[in-house]
Amino acid sequence: MDQNKFSEFNTIFYPRSVAVAGASKDRMKMGSFFLSSLIGSDYEGQVYPVNSDGNQVLGMKSYRRIRDIPGSVDYVIVSVPAISVLQLLEDCAAKGVKTVHIFTAGFRESGTAEGRKLEREIVKRAREGGFHIIGPNSLGICNSSSSFIPLGLPMEGTGPVAILAQSGSVTARSAKRGLARGIQFSKVVSYGNGSDLDSTDFLEYFAEDPDTGIIGMYIEGINDGQRLFCLLRDICKSKPVVVWKGGKTGDGAEVALSHTGSLAVTGVVWNALSKQVGMIEVDNIEEFVDALLTLYCLGEFLGDRMGILCGLLGGGGGEGVSATDLCTSNGLKVSRFSESTREKLTAVLPAAGRIFRNPLDFGTPVENLEILRKALDAVAADPGVDLIIFHYPVDELCTGPFGGWAQDINNYLLRLKREQPKPVVVISTPGLPPAPEQWALESELNAARIPVYPNMQRAARAIAGVSRYFKLRELNENQ
Amino acid sequence: MDQNKFSEFNTIFYPRSVAVAGASKDRMKMGSFFLSSLIGSDYEGQVYPVNSDGNQVLGMKSYRRIRDIPGSVDYVIVSVPAISVLQLLEDCAAKGVKTVHIFTAGFRESGTAEGRKLEREIVKRAREGGFHIIGPNSLGICNSSSSFIPLGLPMEGTGPVAILAQSGSVTARSAKRGLARGIQFSKVVSYGNGSDLDSTDFLEYFAEDPDTGIIGMYIEGINDGQRLFCLLRDICKSKPVVVWKGGKTGDGAEVALSHTGSLAVTGVVWNALSKQVGMIEVDNIEEFVDALLTLYCLGEFLGDRMGILCGLLGGGGGEGVSATDLCTSNGLKVSRFSESTREKLTAVLPAAGRIFRNPLDFGTPVENLEILRKALDAVAADPGVDLIIFHYPVDELCTGPFGGWAQDINNYLLRLKREQPKPVVVISTPGLPPAPEQWALESELNAARIPVYPNMQRAARAIAGVSRYFKLRELNENQ
């Protein structure tokens, strides 16, 4: 991306003033949602409601037309009926607007000749009017470092993860779940039909964007496959990209056609190409967020040898067998502990019912937490261990007779994470029913970059994906 | 299983009196846990604490030795050090005990010559003494229809699902999670090292047991592979068996050796054999419970054509694409709705942003719930739909501005389930943080046999497994 285009994109992500067309007193309307999100955030630019009836909105003066706004307008959010969009774009051109985000649907994705024509028309207006379009049929963008967050997402901090998704629901849901699990985002983009700015444009920008170090991408259709794959291959050399491809199956592709009007590439073609690119592939929203969380917490993780502890409250045997199966079948290693580690473990733990192999199974409930602390230290110090997985029964420990233990254990884990270089991850099975205490403990760990997964299968898949990515990257660098 | 052996097993599952050896004042000891569970349940037989110091336990008179107990004793739970077990078994023989459940570990699974010898010894005592052993290194059994539940599980009702697991933790955890999701159990068995009564013995019994219609099995090692596979093949002709094989990978098998002393069959051999048997295979505890819940709720489900609704609060497009991909890649079908269904849907829903293909994407938030009710009815009535999947945003609906809607929607679903024959299932993503209101709504659905899954991937895999099982069974019946 040349310097001019990069500056152009910075204009998009750092607007100095925003108009929201279609914001009204009806708070259920999306226009009102965009407006109230902007007002409720720390965004420091000017915000103007635009509404055909000219009434006040959320206590703010509103304008009947974009042209009527007194100051300059960099960015316009459009949530008006499709039929009114062309007129509005003419106003945008006249006003010297730089970027128009069109939330409105009813374009190419409608499957009608009319919708396709309307989409061609808006792109033409954008070219003539010298502005860019995000969408239509999209939720638009957020930028944490300019506090430009019209989507009501609690993006209070800034961080390295960017989301780029064709689907608005995937954008919003994955960002929300990521935030709830402690991920900090740089930018979030929903590009919908991608009529003007498409996935490849935003990817090019993220490749250069110094605030973005990790990219999560949901894509249904591809307009320019060759450009996309070349771009992904280049970016993957320096920034990991997690890609979830919607519409891989024939039926899924048909649905994608009505969703974002995309002719999707199906699984066989996609898989053949994606192998060469070096991206991290996922298949559903859980895997998507897990992979981003893992990259966010683990950083450049090259290892693949897991050190596992389980059975703190007894009965970890099955858990240990299953953990080994799930790690191994995902390509991770669970090797025996070193002789020295086994000696250390034998010294702190009585033998009956315990398994000193890796995974370490405490077997019967530990009598005091000093045992756990020593065992964690011993496993972390093992030269054959790259990452520590602690199967932590938070659901059983956060309330009831062991209630007091959970905070102590959290403190051990936070210390372990701080005082030695190997990543620590936690498996915490959701309690049924869920307890707020469990959530608080998990949040504390996530905030300290100790990622928490609800089960071993999801942890193993995410860690394996990240480990494979960095290994492949190292291999390519050394060639 | 001949009539004699069946009666013998009924004696095991319906003991008239139980002694717990190793119950003490220390409530953290497992002996005390077994005892307090029995006392806290509706079990109507005699219960005797046995303790070497002869002190009162939980306010009950205790006995120093089994022989000292005045009445007859059918069943003994053993939670004493391994070194004391042989002596105790002699007492059991003298007392005419029928079944001895040994919780104590430190036998074959310890990997020592001593441990193996001790295990051979206990089996010899059992043969000579005329009693059976469950274990050692096992959590033992529960039977809901005799309220014999020494594991503290809330098995208040009775139902068709039996669990048979080599691992105690898998037994307890899968039963707990199953109960929390509304499954009713007939019997629950943890057989540990299986020194005397092994998986095949219990399987034979479950095949005949009129209270058991669905079997969930976790197995690490196999003593007699041929017998197990023949048995599974026979049972699968009339009762579905969900099998989770621990130690499928080479490393997992090594861990299994130290867990239950089992020489596990690895993946290749297992997979080759299991295909011929017709069982439902799963690979982790989530899939295990999901499959049992699905069988429990759906009954004999032969269809594979899904009718999916999503996007009730907007943004269901990505969800629809992903749902289709996940169903299709698991072998389920998501076909177009019939012309008549599409007409019905078009009549109740405005077109913009909506997708009338299957999955039905509401696209923008529905204005009133009457729309949802009509859409559900239309999809359920479609002749090309065998099962209705409702992607229900309970997390977003149970509190906040839509708070009032959730109970109404639950009521629609309960009515739909009651008034038409097709199964209804719900995808409800766990809220982050979780809300107790969500749990209450989900529990109401589960209790009405509308299974709730936390994501589409897990639902698709479980439904596909059940559908394949019944289809295969029908195919075999017609041959």
PDB file of all heavy atoms in Angstrom, chain B residues 121-151:
ATOM      1  N   GLU B 121      -4.942 -60.948  43.920  1.00  0.00           N
ATOM      2  CA  GLU B 121      -5.379 -61.469  45.224  1.00  0.00           C
ATOM      3  C   GLU B 121      -6.850 -61.156  45.525  1.00  0.00           C
ATOM      4  O   GLU B 121      -7.593 -62.011  45.988  1.00  0.00           O
ATOM      5  CB  GLU B 121      -4.516 -60.867  46.346  1.00  0.00           C
ATOM      6  CG  GLU B 121      -3.263 -61.633  46.660  1.00  0.00           C
ATOM      7  CD  GLU B 121      -3.537 -63.094  47.040  1.00  0.00           C
ATOM      8  OE1 GLU B 121      -4.446 -63.342  47.870  1.00  0.00           O
ATOM      9  OE2 GLU B 121      -2.868 -63.979  46.479  1.00  0.00           O
ATOM     10  N   ILE B 122      -7.227 -59.914  45.274  1.00  0.00           N
ATOM     11  CA  ILE B 122      -8.607 -59.544  45.633  1.00  0.00           C
ATOM     12  C   ILE B 122      -9.612 -60.300  44.765  1.00  0.00           C
ATOM     13  O   ILE B 122     -10.672 -60.699  45.229  1.00  0.00           O
ATOM     14  CB  ILE B 122      -8.876 -58.015  45.569  1.00  0.00           C
ATOM     15  CG1 ILE B 122      -8.602 -57.444  44.182  1.00  0.00           C
ATOM     16  CG2 ILE B 122      -8.059 -57.257  46.632  1.00  0.00           C
ATOM     17  CD1 ILE B 122      -9.159 -56.031  43.987  1.00  0.00           C
ATOM     18  N   VAL B 123      -9.246 -60.506  43.489  1.00  0.00           N
ATOM     19  CA  VAL B 123     -10.159 -61.235  42.600  1.00  0.00           C
ATOM     20  C   VAL B 123     -10.302 -62.668  43.095  1.00  0.00           C
ATOM     21  O   VAL B 123     -11.409 -63.233  43.137  1.00  0.00           O
ATOM     22  CB  VAL B 123      -9.655 -61.198  41.138  1.00  0.00           C
ATOM     23  CG1 VAL B 123     -10.534 -62.035  40.237  1.00  0.00           C
ATOM     24  CG2 VAL B 123      -9.597 -59.755  40.640  1.00  0.00           C
ATOM     25  N   LYS B 124      -9.159 -63.257  43.532  1.00  0.00           N
ATOM     26  CA  LYS B 124      -9.182 -64.622  44.068  1.00  0.00           C
ATOM     27  C   LYS B 124     -10.116 -64.695  45.291  1.00  0.00           C
ATOM     28  O   LYS B 124     -10.950 -65.601  45.401  1.00  0.00           O
ATOM     29  CB  LYS B 124      -7.738 -65.012  44.466  1.00  0.00           C
ATOM     30  CG  LYS B 124      -7.520 -66.481  44.681  1.00  0.00           C
ATOM     31  CD  LYS B 124      -6.034 -66.821  44.722  1.00  0.00           C
ATOM     32  CE  LYS B 124      -5.825 -68.056  45.566  1.00  0.00           C
ATOM     33  NZ  LYS B 124      -4.981 -67.818  46.747  1.00  0.00           N
ATOM     34  N   ARG B 125      -9.984 -63.726  46.186  1.00  0.00           N
ATOM     35  CA  ARG B 125     -10.859 -63.702  47.380  1.00  0.00           C
ATOM     36  C   ARG B 125     -12.331 -63.609  46.993  1.00  0.00           C
ATOM     37  O   ARG B 125     -13.193 -64.199  47.639  1.00  0.00           O
ATOM     38  CB  ARG B 125     -10.547 -62.488  48.283  1.00  0.00           C
ATOM     39  CG  ARG B 125      -9.136 -62.409  48.765  1.00  0.00           C
ATOM     40  CD  ARG B 125      -8.840 -63.430  49.856  1.00  0.00           C
ATOM     41  NE  ARG B 125      -7.400 -63.597  49.944  1.00  0.00           N
ATOM     42  CZ  ARG B 125      -6.641 -63.191  50.965  1.00  0.00           C
ATOM     43  NH1 ARG B 125      -7.202 -62.640  52.014  1.00  0.00           N
ATOM     44  NH2 ARG B 125      -5.336 -63.373  50.947  1.00  0.00           N
ATOM     45  N   ALA B 126     -12.597 -62.825  45.942  1.00  0.00           N
ATOM     46  CA  ALA B 126     -13.991 -62.661  45.525  1.00  0.00           C
ATOM     47  C   ALA B 126     -14.551 -63.983  45.018  1.00  0.00           C
ATOM     48  O   ALA B 126     -15.653 -64.401  45.399  1.00  0.00           O
ATOM     49  CB  ALA B 126     -14.083 -61.594  44.436  1.00  0.00           C
ATOM     50  N   ARG B 127     -13.761 -64.670  44.186  1.00  0.00           N
ATOM     51  CA  ARG B 127     -14.212 -65.968  43.651  1.00  0.00           C
ATOM     52  C   ARG B 127     -14.473 -66.932  44.807  1.00  0.00           C
ATOM     53  O   ARG B 127     -15.515 -67.581  44.864  1.00  0.00           O
ATOM     54  CB  ARG B 127     -13.144 -66.561  42.729  1.00  0.00           C
ATOM     55  CG  ARG B 127     -12.764 -65.701  41.552  1.00  0.00           C
ATOM     56  CD  ARG B 127     -13.726 -65.861  40.367  1.00  0.00           C
ATOM     57  NE  ARG B 127     -13.226 -65.141  39.206  1.00  0.00           N
ATOM     58  CZ  ARG B 127     -13.562 -63.880  38.878  1.00  0.00           C
ATOM     59  NH1 ARG B 127     -14.417 -63.205  39.627  1.00  0.00           N
ATOM     60  NH2 ARG B 127     -13.050 -63.314  37.806  1.00  0.00           N
ATOM     61  N   GLU B 128     -13.493 -67.009  45.720  1.00  0.00           N
ATOM     62  CA  GLU B 128     -13.617 -67.933  46.849  1.00  0.00           C
ATOM     63  C   GLU B 128     -14.763 -67.537  47.775  1.00  0.00           C
ATOM     64  O   GLU B 128     -15.489 -68.389  48.295  1.00  0.00           O
ATOM     65  CB  GLU B 128     -12.304 -67.950  47.652  1.00  0.00           C
ATOM     66  CG  GLU B 128     -11.164 -68.633  46.920  1.00  0.00           C
ATOM     67  CD  GLU B 128      -9.792 -68.356  47.563  1.00  0.00           C
ATOM     68  OE1 GLU B 128      -9.765 -67.689  48.638  1.00  0.00           O
ATOM     69  OE2 GLU B 128      -8.777 -68.782  46.989  1.00  0.00           O
ATOM     70  N   GLY B 129     -14.923 -66.216  47.963  1.00  0.00           N
ATOM     71  CA  GLY B 129     -15.921 -65.751  48.920  1.00  0.00           C
ATOM     72  C   GLY B 129     -17.326 -65.646  48.348  1.00  0.00           C
ATOM     73  O   GLY B 129     -18.263 -65.306  49.073  1.00  0.00           O
ATOM     74  N   GLY B 130     -17.452 -65.872  47.033  1.00  0.00           N
ATOM     75  CA  GLY B 130     -18.791 -65.838  46.435  1.00  0.00           C
ATOM     76  C   GLY B 130     -19.380 -64.442  46.316  1.00  0.00           C
ATOM     77  O   GLY B 130     -20.605 -64.285  46.365  1.00  0.00           O
ATOM     78  N   PHE B 131     -18.541 -63.440  46.187  1.00  0.00           N
ATOM     79  CA  PHE B 131     -19.088 -62.088  45.969  1.00  0.00           C
ATOM     80  C   PHE B 131     -18.435 -61.465  44.732  1.00  0.00           C
ATOM     81  O   PHE B 131     -17.449 -61.986  44.214  1.00  0.00           O
ATOM     82  CB  PHE B 131     -18.878 -61.184  47.194  1.00  0.00           C
ATOM     83  CG  PHE B 131     -17.443 -61.051  47.647  1.00  0.00           C
ATOM     84  CD1 PHE B 131     -16.580 -60.123  47.062  1.00  0.00           C
ATOM     85  CD2 PHE B 131     -16.942 -61.859  48.686  1.00  0.00           C
ATOM     86  CE1 PHE B 131     -15.272 -60.003  47.490  1.00  0.00           C
ATOM     87  CE2 PHE B 131     -15.622 -61.744  49.098  1.00  0.00           C
ATOM     88  CZ  PHE B 131     -14.782 -60.819  48.509  1.00  0.00           C
ATOM     89  N   HIS B 132     -19.043 -60.382  44.263  1.00  0.00           N
ATOM     90  CA  HIS B 132     -18.493 -59.661  43.118  1.00  0.00           C
ATOM     91  C   HIS B 132     -17.771 -58.394  43.565  1.00  0.00           C
ATOM     92  O   HIS B 132     -18.109 -57.810  44.595  1.00  0.00           O
ATOM     93  CB  HIS B 132     -19.596 -59.277  42.133  1.00  0.00           C
ATOM     94  CG  HIS B 132     -19.932 -60.388  41.187  1.00  0.00           C
ATOM     95  ND1 HIS B 132     -19.000 -60.949  40.355  1.00  0.00           N
ATOM     96  CD2 HIS B 132     -21.093 -61.035  40.941  1.00  0.00           C
ATOM     97  CE1 HIS B 132     -19.559 -61.897  39.634  1.00  0.00           C
ATOM     98  NE2 HIS B 132     -20.841 -61.972  39.974  1.00  0.00           N
ATOM     99  N   ILE B 133     -16.791 -57.994  42.749  1.00  0.00           N
ATOM    100  CA  ILE B 133     -16.078 -56.742  43.009  1.00  0.00           C
ATOM    101  C   ILE B 133     -16.375 -55.729  41.902  1.00  0.00           C
ATOM    102  O   ILE B 133     -16.314 -56.065  40.718  1.00  0.00           O
ATOM    103  CB  ILE B 133     -14.547 -56.973  43.091  1.00  0.00           C
ATOM    104  CG1 ILE B 133     -14.195 -57.737  44.369  1.00  0.00           C
ATOM    105  CG2 ILE B 133     -13.776 -55.646  43.051  1.00  0.00           C
ATOM    106  CD1 ILE B 133     -12.732 -58.096  44.480  1.00  0.00           C
ATOM    107  N   ILE B 134     -16.704 -54.505  42.306  1.00  0.00           N
ATOM    108  CA  ILE B 134     -16.734 -53.371  41.371  1.00  0.00           C
ATOM    109  C   ILE B 134     -15.492 -52.543  41.696  1.00  0.00           C
ATOM    110  O   ILE B 134     -15.325 -52.062  42.806  1.00  0.00           O
ATOM    111  CB  ILE B 134     -17.996 -52.520  41.572  1.00  0.00           C
ATOM    112  CG1 ILE B 134     -19.247 -53.371  41.348  1.00  0.00           C
ATOM    113  CG2 ILE B 134     -17.997 -51.316  40.625  1.00  0.00           C
ATOM    114  CD1 ILE B 134     -20.523 -52.728  41.848  1.00  0.00           C
ATOM    115  N   GLY B 135     -14.615 -52.397  40.723  1.00  0.00           N
ATOM    116  CA  GLY B 135     -13.358 -51.705  40.952  1.00  0.00           C
ATOM    117  C   GLY B 135     -12.189 -52.677  40.878  1.00  0.00           C
ATOM    118  O   GLY B 135     -12.290 -53.675  40.185  1.00  0.00           O
ATOM    119  N   PRO B 136     -11.116 -52.426  41.613  1.00  0.00           N
ATOM    120  CA  PRO B 136     -10.866 -51.271  42.488  1.00  0.00           C
ATOM    121  C   PRO B 136     -10.655 -49.989  41.665  1.00  0.00           C
ATOM    122  O   PRO B 136     -10.772 -50.030  40.446  1.00  0.00           O
ATOM    123  CB  PRO B 136      -9.577 -51.663  43.199  1.00  0.00           C
ATOM    124  CG  PRO B 136      -8.862 -52.545  42.226  1.00  0.00           C
ATOM    125  CD  PRO B 136      -9.951 -53.300  41.495  1.00  0.00           C
ATOM    126  N   ASN B 137     -10.345 -48.886  42.412  1.00  0.00           N
ATOM    127  CA  ASN B 137     -10.050 -47.622  41.738  1.00  0.00           C
ATOM    128  C   ASN B 137     -11.287 -47.149  40.973  1.00  0.00           C
ATOM    129  O   ASN B 137     -11.201 -46.694  39.853  1.00  0.00           O
ATOM    130  CB  ASN B 137      -8.844 -47.851  40.797  1.00  0.00           C
ATOM    131  CG  ASN B 137      -8.307 -46.568  40.177  1.00  0.00           C
ATOM    132  OD1 ASN B 137      -8.510 -45.487  40.718  1.00  0.00           O
ATOM    133  ND2 ASN B 137      -7.652 -46.700  39.047  1.00  0.00           N
ATOM    134  N   SER B 138     -12.468 -47.281  41.603  1.00  0.00           N
ATOM    135  CA  SER B 138     -13.703 -46.903  40.918  1.00  0.00           C
ATOM    136  C   SER B 138     -14.647 -46.165  41.863  1.00  0.00           C
ATOM    137  O   SER B 138     -14.570 -46.306  43.080  1.00  0.00           O
ATOM    138  CB  SER B 138     -14.411 -48.154  40.389  1.00  0.00           C
ATOM    139  OG  SER B 138     -15.448 -48.550  41.253  1.00  0.00           O
ATOM    140  N   LEU B 139     -15.553 -45.386  41.281  1.00  0.00           N
ATOM    141  CA  LEU B 139     -16.538 -44.647  42.078  1.00  0.00           C
ATOM    142  C   LEU B 139     -17.780 -45.470  42.387  1.00  0.00           C
ATOM    143  O   LEU B 139     -18.633 -45.036  43.137  1.00  0.00           O
ATOM    144  CB  LEU B 139     -16.961 -43.367  41.354  1.00  0.00           C
ATOM    145  CG  LEU B 139     -16.143 -42.103  41.576  1.00  0.00           C
ATOM    146  CD1 LEU B 139     -16.850 -40.914  40.935  1.00  0.00           C
ATOM    147  CD2 LEU B 139     -15.917 -41.821  43.059  1.00  0.00           C
ATOM    148  N   GLY B 140     -17.908 -46.647  41.740  1.00  0.00           N
ATOM    149  CA  GLY B 140     -19.046 -47.512  42.045  1.00  0.00           C
ATOM    150  C   GLY B 140     -20.296 -47.203  41.246  1.00  0.00           C
ATOM    151  O   GLY B 140     -20.217 -46.631  40.159  1.00  0.00           O
ATOM    152  N   ILE B 141     -21.452 -47.575  41.800  1.00  0.00           N
ATOM    153  CA  ILE B 141     -22.687 -47.526  41.012  1.00  0.00           C
ATOM    154  C   ILE B 141     -23.790 -46.717  41.697  1.00  0.00           C
ATOM    155  O   ILE B 141     -23.778 -46.520  42.908  1.00  0.00           O
ATOM    156  CB  ILE B 141     -23.224 -48.960  40.749  1.00  0.00           C
ATOM    157  CG1 ILE B 141     -23.632 -49.625  42.070  1.00  0.00           C
ATOM    158  CG2 ILE B 141     -22.214 -49.795  40.012  1.00  0.00           C
ATOM    159  CD1 ILE B 141     -24.357 -50.941  41.868  1.00  0.00           C
ATOM    160  N   CYS B 142     -24.730 -46.268  40.864  1.00  0.00           N
ATOM    161  CA  CYS B 142     -25.962 -45.644  41.350  1.00  0.00           C
ATOM    162  C   CYS B 142     -27.131 -46.278  40.601  1.00  0.00           C
ATOM    163  O   CYS B 142     -26.990 -46.653  39.437  1.00  0.00           O
ATOM    164  CB  CYS B 142     -25.984 -44.152  41.045  1.00  0.00           C
ATOM    165  SG  CYS B 142     -24.709 -43.209  41.889  1.00  0.00           S
ATOM    166  N   ASN B 143     -28.269 -46.361  41.263  1.00  0.00           N
ATOM    167  CA  ASN B 143     -29.475 -46.886  40.619  1.00  0.00           C
ATOM    168  C   ASN B 143     -30.651 -46.003  41.019  1.00  0.00           C
ATOM    169  O   ASN B 143     -31.065 -45.991  42.175  1.00  0.00           O
ATOM    170  CB  ASN B 143     -29.700 -48.336  41.083  1.00  0.00           C
ATOM    171  CG  ASN B 143     -30.968 -48.936  40.502  1.00  0.00           C
ATOM    172  OD1 ASN B 143     -31.601 -48.348  39.628  1.00  0.00           O
ATOM    173  ND2 ASN B 143     -31.334 -50.108  40.996  1.00  0.00           N
ATOM    174  N   SER B 144     -31.183 -45.277  40.058  1.00  0.00           N
ATOM    175  CA  SER B 144     -32.233 -44.312  40.417  1.00  0.00           C
ATOM    176  C   SER B 144     -33.506 -45.010  40.889  1.00  0.00           C
ATOM    177  O   SER B 144     -34.189 -44.504  41.774  1.00  0.00           O
ATOM    178  CB  SER B 144     -32.544 -43.389  39.242  1.00  0.00           C
ATOM    179  OG  SER B 144     -33.059 -44.125  38.152  1.00  0.00           O
ATOM    180  N   SER B 145     -33.806 -46.205  40.338  1.00  0.00           N
ATOM    181  CA  SER B 145     -35.106 -46.794  40.672  1.00  0.00           C
ATOM    182  C   SER B 145     -35.115 -47.454  42.059  1.00  0.00           C
ATOM    183  O   SER B 145     -36.175 -47.755  42.589  1.00  0.00           O
ATOM    184  CB  SER B 145     -35.583 -47.757  39.590  1.00  0.00           C
ATOM    185  OG  SER B 145     -34.707 -48.833  39.487  1.00  0.00           O
ATOM    186  N   SER B 146     -33.936 -47.640  42.669  1.00  0.00           N
ATOM    187  CA  SER B 146     -33.927 -48.080  44.071  1.00  0.00           C
ATOM    188  C   SER B 146     -33.407 -46.950  44.968  1.00  0.00           C
ATOM    189  O   SER B 146     -33.136 -47.162  46.144  1.00  0.00           O
ATOM    190  CB  SER B 146     -33.050 -49.322  44.242  1.00  0.00           C
ATOM    191  OG  SER B 146     -31.702 -49.006  43.961  1.00  0.00           O
ATOM    192  N   SER B 147     -33.244 -45.759  44.389  1.00  0.00           N
ATOM    193  CA  SER B 147     -32.696 -44.601  45.113  1.00  0.00           C
ATOM    194  C   SER B 147     -31.370 -44.935  45.796  1.00  0.00           C
ATOM    195  O   SER B 147     -31.018 -44.353  46.817  1.00  0.00           O
ATOM    196  CB  SER B 147     -33.685 -44.075  46.161  1.00  0.00           C
ATOM    197  OG  SER B 147     -34.843 -43.604  45.539  1.00  0.00           O
ATOM    198  N   PHE B 148     -30.643 -45.883  45.219  1.00  0.00           N
ATOM    199  CA  PHE B 148     -29.320 -46.241  45.749  1.00  0.00           C
ATOM    200  C   PHE B 148     -28.306 -45.351  45.024  1.00  0.00           C
ATOM    201  O   PHE B 148     -27.864 -45.655  43.910  1.00  0.00           O
ATOM    202  CB  PHE B 148     -29.045 -47.731  45.515  1.00  0.00           C
ATOM    203  CG  PHE B 148     -27.666 -48.147  45.946  1.00  0.00           C
ATOM    204  CD1 PHE B 148     -27.269 -48.045  47.269  1.00  0.00           C
ATOM    205  CD2 PHE B 148     -26.761 -48.670  45.028  1.00  0.00           C
ATOM    206  CE1 PHE B 148     -25.987 -48.427  47.669  1.00  0.00           C
ATOM    207  CE2 PHE B 148     -25.484 -49.058  45.423  1.00  0.00           C
ATOM    208  CZ  PHE B 148     -25.101 -48.940  46.740  1.00  0.00           C
ATOM    209  N   ILE B 149     -27.969 -44.209  45.662  1.00  0.00           N
ATOM    210  CA  ILE B 149     -27.171 -43.187  44.988  1.00  0.00           C
ATOM    211  C   ILE B 149     -26.058 -42.701  45.920  1.00  0.00           C
ATOM    212  O   ILE B 149     -26.158 -41.624  46.508  1.00  0.00           O
ATOM    213  CB  ILE B 149     -28.078 -42.010  44.547  1.00  0.00           C
ATOM    214  CG1 ILE B 149     -29.215 -42.541  43.657  1.00  0.00           C
ATOM    215  CG2 ILE B 149     -27.282 -40.947  43.774  1.00  0.00           C
ATOM    216  CD1 ILE B 149     -30.419 -41.638  43.561  1.00  0.00           C
ATOM    217  N   PRO B 150     -25.003 -43.521  46.091  1.00  0.00           N
ATOM    218  CA  PRO B 150     -23.952 -43.123  47.042  1.00  0.00           C
ATOM    219  C   PRO B 150     -22.994 -42.056  46.497  1.00  0.00           C
ATOM    220  O   PRO B 150     -21.977 -41.785  47.132  1.00  0.00           O
ATOM    221  CB  PRO B 150     -23.214 -44.439  47.322  1.00  0.00           C
ATOM    222  CG  PRO B 150     -23.577 -45.377  46.240  1.00  0.00           C
ATOM    223  CD  PRO B 150     -24.762 -44.840  45.505  1.00  0.00           C
ATOM    224  N   LEU B 151     -23.299 -41.467  45.327  1.00  0.00           N
ATOM    225  CA  LEU B 151     -22.365 -40.512  44.731  1.00  0.00           C
ATOM    226  C   LEU B 151     -22.814 -39.066  44.854  1.00  0.00           C
ATOM    227  O   LEU B 151     -22.241 -38.182  44.213  1.00  0.00           O
ATOM    228  CB  LEU B 151     -22.147 -40.835  43.253  1.00  0.00           C
ATOM    229  CG  LEU B 151     -21.294 -42.060  42.964  1.00  0.00           C
ATOM    230  CD1 LEU B 151     -21.065 -42.212  41.477  1.00  0.00           C
ATOM    231  CD2 LEU B 151     -19.953 -41.933  43.685  1.00  0.00           C
TER     232      LEU B 151
END
